[in-house]
């Protein structure tokens, strides 16, 4: 009986032990180091995706089974493992050292990811945390400014929702345009406008492929660099809900100069003897002075900004998903306009059916609405108006006694009797423009494990974009009375387009090792890309009511439609090899066939090679414990670029038109095709070094690079006559330079961290060849700048200004022979050696945390770039514009008693116009700007007992707080004037009343559940 009882007890104990091993339980504990509790330690269950982080007190809680192995890892600490036993408490004390997993970081190259330790190409990474420090209403492109060495980011202007120009390693377009990098989102090519519509909250990381080897992966698209954007995905972890909200305001960045007030402008007109008040009586002048006001105060306001984002992330070993919804609003600073709104949504999911089958689907979309002001160089622009309009000209109409005039309904009547001839305050209300974008993206894919180490992936990418624009001149508005049809008042134009792009990518990936030392990874890929574009435009007039914009009675002109298509077919292959993690080599090759090329040369081949040496893997480095990582790398790539090539610009285009009573066929426009048109060829070489020192307290990356463009594309006259132009391949230019990324920790312990970073690059650009046989000077004019062999691209070509003649007060100029003259001649224009492109560019800043507090700053800088300041030329006009307001600086003009004045005598006194294009208004646009200042405090779960809150952070974000520059205005110029430089865009070439840069002040909360 007793033995039977023992047998039963033994069975029960064994059964209970089996249950204990089979069932999950909650493991808690505290992780410390020599200084105390250690927050932010990654705690995971080995062999699964389950993971958590320790809180500010070093505490953690995780689900695990008895027998599971817990892995504890933290930057600068040796990885520690503990096996779960009968106890539910596991405490760990970590030791300083280098974790093996610490550097096992996967870098996403777009088509695939590679172990960063084995990557021998130049790739800069900007994390989600770094992007989150920017204003949430900024585009992803703007958020990259100053965050990666060798990557130049210039905001287009301060318009709400506006994008930025992103170029890599000094790339320029000789014939206009921006030579922008290509964008890849989750493996799909997207345009710059599509990338700008992404919600920053959805971005996991941004990798910029800078050298020729890495960019060769993308063939004809990779010549200007590649920006690879990865969106967030779900994880095998408990469900996580996040909500982020920010509210705040924006305001125009303050000018470094002051415009005249009413009394000053009236006095200035009297001094030069010109202007509307010269003949006024003292009583009339007194009345005008009583109207004194600042047009900036009337036309501008503080903009309202808000951003709301909700996201969910979670899953298990089989199914993960991420979902987000966002709403952003930025009213902008122009009064009476609604500015910009954006709605975004995203759902990313992945299902692992078994070890050989994985299915995923990413879908995203956005809807953007812009209510714009005119961005042009005349009185229809509120930005030009607020500088030009006189401070004694009232906002509202006044009667003879100075009283505001009312209409029949008792409303104030706008002043339409302005010297500028146009009442902008009325136009903002009655001449409206709205743009709308709807975008939808789909990324279904499937991965199949075919045999051991060999997998196949197919992905279909679809991008749909719809654009609609409406401009409405209301009937009987001031503009309608000037240019409208008296028989059919009011006019409305609708135009827009639909774009559908689809991309099919099939790839085979093979990874294997020989003796655990010879490691290979190979990829073979086939890709087909097709773009379909449809457009329309139509105009109607004859509106009886300004509130009924769909009731036009007559059609203006002929409604037009357009369509274009282009396609690319590609084959790609790559092989990555490393020997024992020490010696690295990667080979890339891609053949592209593209429909936009000339019929005689439809295909091009891109190739690249990169080499690397992980020096710290060598035995002779074992004793150098202060060097944690040291890698030397080099690369060479030949790839291609399509700057300026449209779908049909390589072909002759024809149209039908009435001719001689019938229908004829003629060449359209003034362009004919080029059957031999090829892509630009980019030859890129680089040598680089990466290092981590002193237990990762110091990290460094530096490169020396050379980018040579052969056969660059530009439009030129043909041998068929000067009336026709065509795109040709001719000449080459070079951009070479040095870049570095440095991060240094000053403090790093359980409670406090303090780190500093610098990203910087220097560029040297030169045109080596420019084949223009029809031009004896062999040079290419682009407005104020000229391209010529031996010069930098876009060298300003201007008459040299030599100051003021102290005897006569006239402006002096330097002639071609070096002599001085007071007679201006455009024939004396010379190369200045100055360009709109920065020679030095980058960013620096710091990050500080203490327990729950965090503080960070980001500065950006540019140096060596110049901008022609048309605004300054208009504001100190030497008497050339007496009816426009002037800057207070305009008072300092030459007179017989003020011979050391900074400005020439006004033309009314000197008899000559000195307000002409010269180096006088070519200004150094170098600057340092405090781009971001962020401060916050994070509450942990213990601050909210009984509530399902894991983290609660309150913060403030401030942007563009301070700027240091010699430039008379805002030095960060992208678009000088959108409507005045269409087709000839050289970013930063001139400043001409585009939407101004703004400061923003935001306050927000972030809640994680």
């Amino acid at each position: 009986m007793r033995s039977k009882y023992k047998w039963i007890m033994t069975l029960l104990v064994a059964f209970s032990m089996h249950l204990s091993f089979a069932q999950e339980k909650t493991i808690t504990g505290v992780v410390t180091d020599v200084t105390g509790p250690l927050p932010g330690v990654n705690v995971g269950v080995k062999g699964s995706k389950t993971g958590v982080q320790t809180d500010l007190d070093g505490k953690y809680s995780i689900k695990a089974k008895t027998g599971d192995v817990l892995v504890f890892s933290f930057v600068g600490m040796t990885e520690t493992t503990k096996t779960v036993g009968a106890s539910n408490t596991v405490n760990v004390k970590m030791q300083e050292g280098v974790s093996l997993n610490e550097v096992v970081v996967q870098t996403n190259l777009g088509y695939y990811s590679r172990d960063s330790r084995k990557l021998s190409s130049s790739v800069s990474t900007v994390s989600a945390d770094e992007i989150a420090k920017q204003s949430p209403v900024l585009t992803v492109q703007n958020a990259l400014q100053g965050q990666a060495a060798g990557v130049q980011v210039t905001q287009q202007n301060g318009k709400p929702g506006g994008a930025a120009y992103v170029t890599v390693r000094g790339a320029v377009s000789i014939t206009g345009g921006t030579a922008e990098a290509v964008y890849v989102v989750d493996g799909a090519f997207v345009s710059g406008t599509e990338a700008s519509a992404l919600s920053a909250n959805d971005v996991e990381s941004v990798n910029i492929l800078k050298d020729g080897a890495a960019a060769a992966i993308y063939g004809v698209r990779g010549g200007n660099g590649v920006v690879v954007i990865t969106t967030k995905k779900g994880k095998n972890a408990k469900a996580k809900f996040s909500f982020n909200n920010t509210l705040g305001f924006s305001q125009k960045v303050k000018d470094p100069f002051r415009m005249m007030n009413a009394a000053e402008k009236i006095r200035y007109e009297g001094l030069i003897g010109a202007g509307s008040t010269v003949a006024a009586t003292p009583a009339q002048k007194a009345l005008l002075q009583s109207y004194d006001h600042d047009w900036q105060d009337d036309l501008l306001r503080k903009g309202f900004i808000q951003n709301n984002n909700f996201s969910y992330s979670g899953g298990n070993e089989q199914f993960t998903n991420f979902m987000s919804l966002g709403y952003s609003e930025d009213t902008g600073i122009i009064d009476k306009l609604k500015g910009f709104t954006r709605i975004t949504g995203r759902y990313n999911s992945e299902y692992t059916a078994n070890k050989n089958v994985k299915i995923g689907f990413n879908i995203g979309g956005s809807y953007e609405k812009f209510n714009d002001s005119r961005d042009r160089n005349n009185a229809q622009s509120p930005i030009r108006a607020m500088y030009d309009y006189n401070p004694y000209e009232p906002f509202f109409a006044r009667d003879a006694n100075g009283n505001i005039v009312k209409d029949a309904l008792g409303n104030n009547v706008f002043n339409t009797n302005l010297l500028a001839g146009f009442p902008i305050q009325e136009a903002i209300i009655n001449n409206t423009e709205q743009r709308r974008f709807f975008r939808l993206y789909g990324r279904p894919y499937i991965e199949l494990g075919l045999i051991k180490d060999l997998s196949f992936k197919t992905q279909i990418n679809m991008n749909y974009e719809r654009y609609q624009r409406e401009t409405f001149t209301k009937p009987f508005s001031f503009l309608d009375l000037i240019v409208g049809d008296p028989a059919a008042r009011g006019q409305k134009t609708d135009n827009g387009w639909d774009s559908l792009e689809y991309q099919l990518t099939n790839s085979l990936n093979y990874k294997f090792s020989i003796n655990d030392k010879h490691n290979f990874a190979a990829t073979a890929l086939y890709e087909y890309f097709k773009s379909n574009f449809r457009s329309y435009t139509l105009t109607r007039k004859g509106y009886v009511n300004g509130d009924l914009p769909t009731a036009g009675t007559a059609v203006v002109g002929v409604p037009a439609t357009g369509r274009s298509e282009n396609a690319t077919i590609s084959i790609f292959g790559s092989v990555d090899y490393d020997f024992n993690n020490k010696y690295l080599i990667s080979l890339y090759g891609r053949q592209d066939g593209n429909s936009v090329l000339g019929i005689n040369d439809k295909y091009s081949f891109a190739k690249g090679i990169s080499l690397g040496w992980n020096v710290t893997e060598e035995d002779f480095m074992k004793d150098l414990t202060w060097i944690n990582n040291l890698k030397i790398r080099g690369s060479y790539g030949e790839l291609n670029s399509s700057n300026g090539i449209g779908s049909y610009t390589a072909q002759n285009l024809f149209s039908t038109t009435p001719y001689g009573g019938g229908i004829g066929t003629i060449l359209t426009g003034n362009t004919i095709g080029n059957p031999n048109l090829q892509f630009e060829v980019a030859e890129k070489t680089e040598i680089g070094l990466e290092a981590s020192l002193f237990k990762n307290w110091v990290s460094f990356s530096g490169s020396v690079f050379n980018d040579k463009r052969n056969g660059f594309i530009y439009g030129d006259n043909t041998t068929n006559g000067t009336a026709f132009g065509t795109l040709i391949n001719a000449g080459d230019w070079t951009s070479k330079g040095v870049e570095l990324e440095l991060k240094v920790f000053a403090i790093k312990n359980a409670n406090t961290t303090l780190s500093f970073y610098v990203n910087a690059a220097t560029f040297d650009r030169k045109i080596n060849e420019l084949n223009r046989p029809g031009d004896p000077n062999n040079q290419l004019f682009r407005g104020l700048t000229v391209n010529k062999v031996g010069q930098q691209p876009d060298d300003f070509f201007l008459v040299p200004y030599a100051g003021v003649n102290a005897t006569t007060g006239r402006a002096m100029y330097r002639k071609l022979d070096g002599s001085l003259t007071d007679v201006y001649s455009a024939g004396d224009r010379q190369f200045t050696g100055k360009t709109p492109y920065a020679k030095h560019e980058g960013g620096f800043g710091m990050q500080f945390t203490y327990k729950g507090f965090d503080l960070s700053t980001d500065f950006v800088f540019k140096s060596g770039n110049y901008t022609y300041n048309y605004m300054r030329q208009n504001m100190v006009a030497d008497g050339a514009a007496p009816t426009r307001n002037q800057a207070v600086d305009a008072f300092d003009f030459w007179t017989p008693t003020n011979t050391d004045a900074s400005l020439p005598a006004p033309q009314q006194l000197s008899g000559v116009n000195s307000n002409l294009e010269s180096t006088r208004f070519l200004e150094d646009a170098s600057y340092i700007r405090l781009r971001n200042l962020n401060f916050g405090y994070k509450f942990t779960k213990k601050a909210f007992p009984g509530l399902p809150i894991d983290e609660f952070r309150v913060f403030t974000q401030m942007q563009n707080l301070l700027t240091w520059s010699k430039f008379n205005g805002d030095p960060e110029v992208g678009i000088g004037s959108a409507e005045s430089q269409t087709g000839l865009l050289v970013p930063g070439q001139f400043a001409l009343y585009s939407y101004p840069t703004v400061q923003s002040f935001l306050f927000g909360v972030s809640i994680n559940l």
Side-chain angles (χ1 to χ4, degrees), residues 151-445:
V151 180
Q152 300 84 59
V153 180
T154 302
Q155 67 174 1
Q156 293 180 356
N157 52 28
K159 184 175 290 188
Y165 301 122
V166 178
T167 57
V168 176
R169 289 184 168 174
V172 298
S173 174
I174 297 296
T175 53
T178 59
E180 278 202 85
V182 69
Y183 297 92
V184 177
V185 179
D186 293 336
F189 297 114
V190 301
S191 66
T193 58
E194 290 171 310
S196 69
L198 286 171
S199 169
N201 291 288
D202 292 343
V203 175
E204 182 68 28
S205 66
V206 179
N207 294 318
I208 301 102
L209 315 186
K210 299 186 291 187
D211 71 343
I217 299 172
Y218 294 96
V220 297
R221 295 175 180 266
N224 293 327
V226 184
V227 179
V228 178
I229 301 172
T230 305
T231 61
K232 294 177 180 178
K233 293 180 172 60
K235 298 179 180 179
N236 178 13
K238 73 171 187 175
K240 179 181 178 181
F241 298 89
S242 297
F243 174 73
N244 295 279
N245 169 263
T246 54
L247 293 171
F249 66 91
S250 61
Q251 62 188 22
K252 179 181 175 295
V253 170
K254 188 176 180 180
D255 291 321
F257 54 84
R258 184 174 68 82
M259 302 300 291
M260 294 181 181
N261 60 31
E264 290 168 332
K265 181 60 191 324
I266 292 171
R267 182 166 66 91
Y268 177 77
E269 292 179 9
L271 291 173
I272 68 173
S276 65
T277 66
V278 172
T281 66
Q284 290 171 328
K285 291 181 180 180
L287 181 61
L288 291 175
Q289 287 188 40
S290 71
Y291 297 154
D292 183 43
H293 67 112
D294 189 335
W295 280 95
Q296 290 198 35
D297 293 338
D298 297 320
L299 298 177
L300 303 186
R301 67 181 175 202
K302 277 185 166 54
F304 171 73
I305 298 174
Q306 69 164 317
N307 182 75
N308 300 280
N309 184 266
F310 169 81
S311 66
Y312 158 78
S313 176
N316 52 43
E317 292 185 359
Q318 277 195 302
F319 183 70
T320 61
N321 52 87
F322 170 84
M323 180 190 74
S324 74
L325 292 171
Y327 174 78
S328 298
E329 178 182 1
D330 184 351
T331 64
I333 60 173
I334 297 178
D335 197 22
K336 302 296 189 297
L337 292 181
K338 294 181 179 179
F340 162 76
T341 57
R342 178 173 61 204
I343 300 171
T344 60
R346 176 165 295 277
Y347 179 71
N348 295 345
S349 65
E350 190 170 79
Y351 173 67
T352 303
N354 54 54
K355 65 178 183 179
N356 294 319
V357 179
K358 183 185 293 184
I359 301 171
F361 185 70
N362 299 344
I363 184 171
S366 66
Y367 177 75
E368 293 181 317
K369 184 163 63 176
F370 299 80
N371 290 279
D372 292 334
S373 61
R374 297 297 293 269
D375 192 344
R376 66 187 313 180
N377 181 34
N378 64 22
Q380 288 180 271
S381 162
I383 306 305
R384 169 133 200 186
M386 70 186 190
Y387 290 112
D388 274 5
Y389 289 7
N390 288 297
Y392 54 72
E393 295 184 278
F395 190 80
F396 295 109
R398 304 291 182 117
D399 61 20
N401 297 318
N403 300 313
I404 295 177
V405 176
K406 307 282 185 177
D407 62 16
L409 299 177
N411 299 314
N412 294 339
V413 176
F414 290 121
N415 180 15
T416 59
N417 190 30
L418 295 164
L419 293 174
F422 190 78
I424 188 63
Q425 65 273 43
E426 183 266 354
I428 290 174
I429 297 173
N430 292 326
N431 309 145
T432 61
E433 177 178 341
Q434 185 180 96
R435 295 179 296 131
R436 299 183 297 275
F437 289 88
F438 173 72
R439 301 179 177 94
L440 187 64
Y441 320 105
R443 316 266 190 265
Y445 63 89

Side-chain angles (χ1 to χ4, degrees), residues 548-628:
L548 299 174
T550 59
T553 60
V555 175
V556 178
V558 179
T561 60
R563 64 181 295 180
S564 65
E565 299 179 354
N566 64 72
T568 305
I569 187 170
S570 308
I571 300 173
F572 165 75
S574 70
V575 176
D576 298 306
Y577 166 77
D578 74 86
F579 173 73
N580 204 25
N581 295 329
K582 295 181 183 180
Y583 312 118
L584 318 171
I585 182 171
S586 296
L587 301 171
Y588 308 93
R590 178 166 175 144
Q591 178 83 358
D592 292 287
N594 196 290
S595 65
V596 306
L597 294 174
I599 194 170
N600 295 333
D601 201 335
K602 289 287 187 184
Y603 292 88
S604 62
F605 184 72
K607 55 184 176 290
I609 180 173
S610 62
L611 304 171
W613 178 22
N614 278 322
V615 183
T616 41
E617 296 293 328
E618 300 287 356
D619 291 338
F620 62 78
M621 297 291 292
K622 299 301 182 184
D623 294 333
L624 299 177
T625 57
W626 59 277
I627 302 178
N628 307 111

Side-chain angles (χ1 to χ4, degrees), residues 752-1004:
T752 309
T753 62
L754 174 61
S755 63
F756 301 90
Y757 77 89
V758 176
N759 300 312
T762 181
F763 309 98
D764 182 13
R765 307 172 181 89
K766 183 180 180 181
I767 298 175
N768 305 311
E769 181 182 349
L770 184 63
N771 182 21
R772 301 194 74 217
D775 181 0
N777 295 317
N778 200 25
Q779 57 192 21
L780 176 66
F781 280 83
R782 295 210 292 181
L784 297 169
T785 60
V786 174
N787 289 298
K788 186 177 177 65
V789 173
Q791 305 294 133
Q792 302 176 76
D794 287 304
D795 197 326
F796 280 101
F797 193 66
L798 297 166
V799 174
Y801 177 70
V804 180
N805 187 312
T807 303
T808 66
R810 291 187 173 186
M812 301 297 293
Y813 308 97
R814 190 171 301 280
K815 297 169 64 69
L816 291 176
D817 62 7
S819 62
L820 297 182
T821 180
D822 61 2
V823 179
Y824 180 92
S825 172
D828 288 326
R829 287 180 298 173
Q830 302 174 31
F831 287 101
T832 63
K834 300 172 181 178
T835 80
Y837 309 116
K839 294 182 179 180
H840 315 282
E841 187 168 356
F844 59 93
M846 56 80 66
Q847 294 178 327
F848 172 76
T849 64
Y850 175 71
K851 294 186 177 179
F853 293 97
D854 62 88
L855 173 68
S856 65
T857 62
D858 295 293
F859 293 81
V860 295
F861 67 88
K862 286 186 178 182
S863 174
N865 54 306
Y866 287 78
T867 294
Y868 192 88
N869 197 342
Y870 278 119
M871 295 174 63
R872 181 68 175 177
Q873 184 173 356
N874 292 335
M875 292 175 189
V876 287
D878 302 337
T883 60
R884 297 197 302 254
N885 197 20
Q886 299 286 285
V888 173
D889 297 341
F891 277 117
D892 188 25
F893 57 80
W894 183 94
T895 66
T897 59
N898 186 26
T899 58
D900 59 349
S902 61
L903 305 178
Q907 65 183 47
Q908 291 82 3
L909 304 180
S910 67
V912 296
N913 178 17
S914 56
N915 192 243
L916 302 167
E917 286 183 356
S918 70
T919 58
R920 174 183 171 189
F921 301 107
L922 181 62
E923 297 186 2
D924 185 351
S926 304
Y927 69 88
I928 299 175
R929 169 165 280 166
L930 176 51
R931 179 70 163 167
N932 298 295
L933 174 62
N934 299 274
F935 178 72
Y937 184 80
K938 184 185 294 183
F939 298 89
T940 59
K941 186 176 182 131
K942 69 177 184 179
F944 305 96
L947 295 178
I949 297 177
D950 294 329
E951 289 180 351
F952 184 95
R953 181 174 179 262
V954 294
F955 59 90
T956 180
Q957 294 178 320
M958 291 161 278
Q959 291 199 307
N960 299 329
L961 289 182
L962 298 170
T963 303
W964 296 268
S965 178
K966 297 178 181 179
F967 192 77
N968 284 295
D970 188 86
E972 187 175 2
V973 179
I975 295 174
S977 176
E979 296 181 40
S980 302
Q981 64 185 99
T982 302
L984 191 64
L985 176 59
V986 181
Q989 187 186 60
F990 58 81
L992 191 62
Y993 304 105
S994 193
Y995 202 106
T997 300
V998 299
Q999 296 174 325
S1000 63
F1001 301 83
L1002 305 176
F1003 307 90

